Amino acid sequence: IGSEHFIDPFTRIKDFEGYQIMISPDRNQQNYSEIFSVDRINYIYENVEIAGDYLDAPFSENKKDSLIAAGDQTIVLVDKIYQIVPYGNNRSMYETHTQPGIYTYSASEHTRDITVSEGVEETVNYWRYRFVLHNRLLAQQNYIAVTASDFGDPRSGTPALKSNPTVNGAPVRPVKLTGRKDVVVVPNPYRADVDYLDIGWEEPGRTGIWQEQDRKIVFMNVPVRSVLRIYTLAGDLVRTIGHNGLARVDERHWYGENGIKWDLINDNNQAVVSGIYLFSVQDVDDSSYEHVGKFVIIK
């Protein structure tokens, strides 16, 4: 039924408040940080002396206007004074929000016919939300999650809760270049004198100690299902890698839906040497597509 329609089993009310976009460099919950949020437009009575000390559950903007019109914008209880304030950011989840060059958020309303019983259909309204991060570092992995929060129950002292970002956190890598079909190799040239570990491009495997196979070149903008072949300048086949962008995250050479990661190891399980290399990428689902290019390795 979705977070927006969930009924709290204790308060028996729909206490949904909003959504948050969380980002992390890895899967660890403690490393997620919020970069954007939207919520319901609502208000609440808050203690003027203690932030977060609320009198009751949030209420709508119409009720807020009515309370103010009636002169009830302030309530005095014993030695506490409560005043109406916005609850949360009050950044409407049903409007478009844009920060040029950083993000774009949009919402659109839709309808759907559902069968509620035999021969009986009902038209329901629902919303679709879209969030786009702009100008991210190419081929750099981050984990993105969408969390939902409620407003708790101030009367019983139940705090507001937010879902765990690791539940739906997914690895996202900007490896699809809009408006172009050619494959891009990063870095090119690959230089052994650059500390790729220090800048966060390469990282040690499960051993925690960097090894030769932890080197990394990424082929970006490849078709979702494709075959990569790498050759020496003399035409000798160095490596063949089959790519399925819809495969599991932990597939050895998978680097996003449109990215292939190569560890500079050839088909004979040996480290390659310095030189100019050629490559070709063929689309498994489109026989007319083939991209040919070259890159340089300097060790």
Side-chain angles (χ1 to χ4, degrees), residues 220-236:
M220 302 191 302
N221 219 35
V222 303
V224 175
R225 298 196 328 134
S226 53
V227 177
L228 165 69
R229 293 180 177 87
I230 300 170
Y231 302 88
T232 65
L233 202 57
D236 297 323

Side-chain angles (χ1 to χ4, degrees), residues 255-268:
Y255 207 76
E257 189 171 297
N258 299 98
I260 299 175
K261 178 178 66 174
W262 181 43
D263 52 14
L264 279 65
I265 301 296
N266 64 23
D267 280 334
N268 294 321

Side-chain angles (χ1 to χ4, degrees), residues 13-218:
I13 61 174
K14 293 181 180 180
D15 59 356
F16 170 81
E17 177 59 26
Y19 292 115
Q20 303 79 39
I21 306 296
M22 311 289 290
I23 190 169
S24 171
D26 50 45
R27 292 186 175 95
N28 295 328
Q29 180 180 352
Q30 64 268 25
N31 291 335
Y32 275 94
S33 58
E34 181 180 308
I35 57 174
F36 180 78
S37 66
V38 288
D39 59 355
R40 295 193 184 281
I41 303 299
N42 50 16
Y43 298 82
I44 199 169
Y45 280 106
E46 183 182 43
N47 190 330
V48 297
E49 295 183 349
I50 305 176
D53 179 15
Y54 302 122
L55 181 63
D56 206 341
F59 43 82
S60 68
E61 189 167 22
N62 288 338
K63 183 175 180 179
K64 182 262 296 184
D65 293 339
S66 298
L67 290 169
I68 293 177
D72 294 329
Q73 63 265 35
T74 301
I75 293 178
V76 179
L77 293 177
V78 191
D79 59 344
K80 294 183 178 181
I81 300 176
Y82 292 89
Q83 194 170 41
I84 295 177
V85 298
Y87 185 76
N89 292 326
N90 271 7
R91 185 189 288 125
S92 175
M93 56 195 291
Y94 306 118
E95 299 177 5
T96 297
H97 306 283
T98 300
Q99 188 71 29
I102 300 177
Y103 66 77
T104 300
Y105 170 87
S106 59
S108 56
E109 189 173 13
H110 300 263
T111 60
R112 176 184 296 172
D113 294 329
I114 62 172
T115 301
V116 295
S117 61
E118 187 175 353
V120 179
E121 288 195 346
E122 180 180 333
T123 300
V124 296
N125 297 326
Y126 67 98
W127 287 81
R128 287 179 179 173
Y129 310 107
R130 187 169 186 261
F131 180 78
V132 179
L133 271 175
H134 303 295
N135 298 324
R136 302 300 298 174
L137 184 62
L138 288 176
Q140 184 63 54
Q141 173 181 284
N142 283 290
Y143 280 78
I144 304 292
V146 178
T147 57
S149 60
D150 62 23
F151 52 72
D153 183 26
R155 282 184 295 181
S156 66
T158 303
L161 300 176
K162 183 169 68 175
S163 58
N164 188 331
T166 61
V167 172
N168 63 12
V172 176
R173 300 179 178 91
V175 291
K176 177 64 176 177
L177 306 179
T178 304
R180 56 190 294 182
K181 290 187 175 182
D182 56 315
V183 177
V184 177
V185 183
V186 178
N188 187 13
Y190 179 94
R191 298 177 49 176
D193 61 342
V194 175
D195 192 344
Y196 293 114
L197 182 65
D198 183 62
I199 65 177
W201 174 248
E202 294 176 345
E203 56 186 25
R206 296 180 180 178
T207 64
I209 302 174
W210 189 92
Q211 301 178 67
E212 186 68 26
Q213 58 266 33
D214 293 323
R215 296 187 187 276
K216 182 172 69 177
I217 285 179
V218 174

